[in-house]
Amino acid sequence: QIQTGTPSRSAFLSTAAAAAASEAAPKATHQPKDPSKAPASPETPFAPTPDRKYKYFQNVEITPGGVAIVRFDNPDKKVNTLSFALMHEAQSLWNDDIHSDHSIKSVVFTSAKESGFIAGADIFDIQRVQDKSQLVPVIEQALNFFLRMKSKGVPLVAAIHGPALGGGLEWAMWCDYRICTDSPSTKMGLPEVKLGLLPGFGGTQNLPALVGVQAGLDMMLTGKDVRADKAKKMGLVDLVVAPQSLEKVAIETAEGLAAGTVKKSRPKKKSLVNRIIEDTPPGQYVMWNKVKQMVDKNSGGHY
């Protein structure tokens, strides 16, 4: 069952474990114990410098108003993807540059690339893991990272231009406020179901909590993406701006959230019909039966 509300550690892992267990194969003798440290495809060698401490991120910028700006920037690809290496580096960046810095009052996540925010998980990382049950610790590490992010207790803002898909949208949904551009290239979605999977980074809990169970299920079980106007209307994003204004507005919003002059996003109010379907036993019975049929059809029985 897909749950709503703040995702617990057990709820998050139950979805991940179901996916990993369903694809588990006999463990290869050469498979590393920690898939996040598995050999990657050839990439540009990286040596940290004062001007570039991290490979997959630009150096964290802290504004005079105490806003930390974290910019995704994979030098090896045209788009940013959530690879094992990026997630490992994200933990180091957060712990070393942000978590214990009391001058930081809020955080903005954005991309240094014009091509988009984050285009999803790195599918090649997943393909290289022969025993899929070994993905469970990787997902658990990601959960712990996002929970640690939230535990700092400062407002988190996602500033989205271009695609925010799969794990990219899931990262944004951990934030307190989402701003996207009105560019035709901006789209948000959870296309994992097209690979027979459901979201593994908390999306099964965070998305319905934002947009309602039915709208969330529609996105997760069809893999359809949504554009800026629809995302704003359904409550997936809080604000739509021109591309050239994105970072400026995101910083101002982060400052306002920290000061209490901007309110955190709230779930969209349900219509009467949606309350009947989602919040009454007869409606839930019909809805979850339909959900089970769609999950079985689109995930190949993985769940």
Side-chain angles (χ1 to χ4, degrees):
Q1 179 169 328
I2 296 176
Q3 303 175 14
T4 60
T6 303
S8 66
R9 189 171 185 270
S10 60
F12 181 98
L13 286 176
S14 65
T15 302
S22 69
E23 294 196 10
K27 187 177 296 184
T29 56
H30 64 278
Q31 185 67 32
K33 291 183 179 180
D34 184 353
S36 68
K37 296 182 175 60
S41 55
E43 294 184 340
T44 305
F46 177 73
T49 68
D51 293 331
R52 183 77 180 212
K53 294 168 59 178
Y54 304 100
K55 179 172 183 178
Y56 301 101
F57 299 86
Q58 293 187 355
N59 285 3
V60 176
E61 177 185 348
I62 303 177
T63 71
V67 180
I69 307 172
V70 179
R71 298 183 180 92
F72 303 101
D73 187 22
N74 185 340
D76 294 317
K77 296 183 178 180
K78 293 181 180 179
V79 297
N80 297 311
T81 58
L82 288 189
S83 63
F84 294 161
L86 181 145
M87 290 301 297
H88 181 75
E89 193 174 71
Q91 296 173 46
S92 298
L93 179 150
W94 186 266
N95 290 332
D96 295 346
D97 292 0
I98 295 177
H99 197 77
S100 299
D101 188 338
H102 300 296
S103 71
I104 294 175
K105 306 302 181 185
S106 54
V107 181
V108 170
F109 295 104
T110 191
S111 173
K113 293 181 179 293
E114 286 294 323
S115 57
F117 186 70
I118 300 175
D122 190 327
I123 192 65
F124 298 107
D125 276 352
I126 298 172
Q127 289 176 343
R128 281 191 292 270
V129 180
Q130 296 183 25
D131 180 356
K132 302 306 182 188
S133 67
Q134 292 188 351
L135 291 173
V136 174
V138 176
I139 297 172
E140 184 173 15
Q141 289 170 18
L143 170 62
N144 289 335
F145 166 67
F146 288 123
L147 292 176
R148 180 163 175 77
M149 239 173 42
K150 298 291 286 186
S151 75
K152 182 170 173 63
V154 301
L156 307 176
V157 176
I160 301 166
H161 173 69
L165 302 173
L169 179 57
E170 291 188 272
W171 189 307
M173 289 192 294
W174 280 96
C175 295
D176 302 296
Y177 207 93
R178 284 155 297 282
I179 304 170
C180 76
T181 70
D182 58 8
S183 168
S185 68
T186 297
K187 58 183 179 179
M188 287 147 277
L190 297 169
E192 295 92 326
V193 72
K194 296 177 182 179
L195 300 176
L197 299 172
L198 290 178
F201 288 166
T204 54
Q205 290 81 44
N206 287 331
L207 181 59
L210 289 172
V211 305
V213 176
Q214 293 177 87
L217 288 169
D218 183 55
M219 287 185 66
M220 286 186 284
L221 299 181
T222 64
K224 293 188 297 188
D225 53 55
V226 297
R227 304 291 171 161
D229 288 345
K230 183 175 181 180
K232 174 66 167 66
K233 184 177 180 180
M234 69 193 301
L236 183 56
V237 301
D238 301 280
L239 193 61
V240 178
V241 300
Q244 59 269 28
S245 304
L246 178 63
E247 191 166 298
K248 178 177 181 293
V249 172
I251 293 170
E252 291 172 350
T253 300
E255 291 175 343
L257 286 165
T261 56
V262 175
K263 300 300 182 183
K264 291 183 180 181
S265 62
R266 293 181 178 180
K268 187 178 178 181
K269 189 175 180 180
K270 294 181 182 180
S271 67
L272 175 60
V273 172
N274 285 347
R275 289 202 303 270
I276 292 173
I277 294 173
E278 298 179 12
D279 301 333
T280 68
Q284 291 173 345
Y285 178 81
V286 173
M287 179 179 66
W288 290 115
N289 275 345
K290 292 290 186 182
V291 168
K292 182 64 166 64
Q293 293 172 17
M294 292 183 70
V295 170
D296 288 344
K297 177 182 177 181
N298 294 334
S299 71
H302 292 172
Y303 298 83

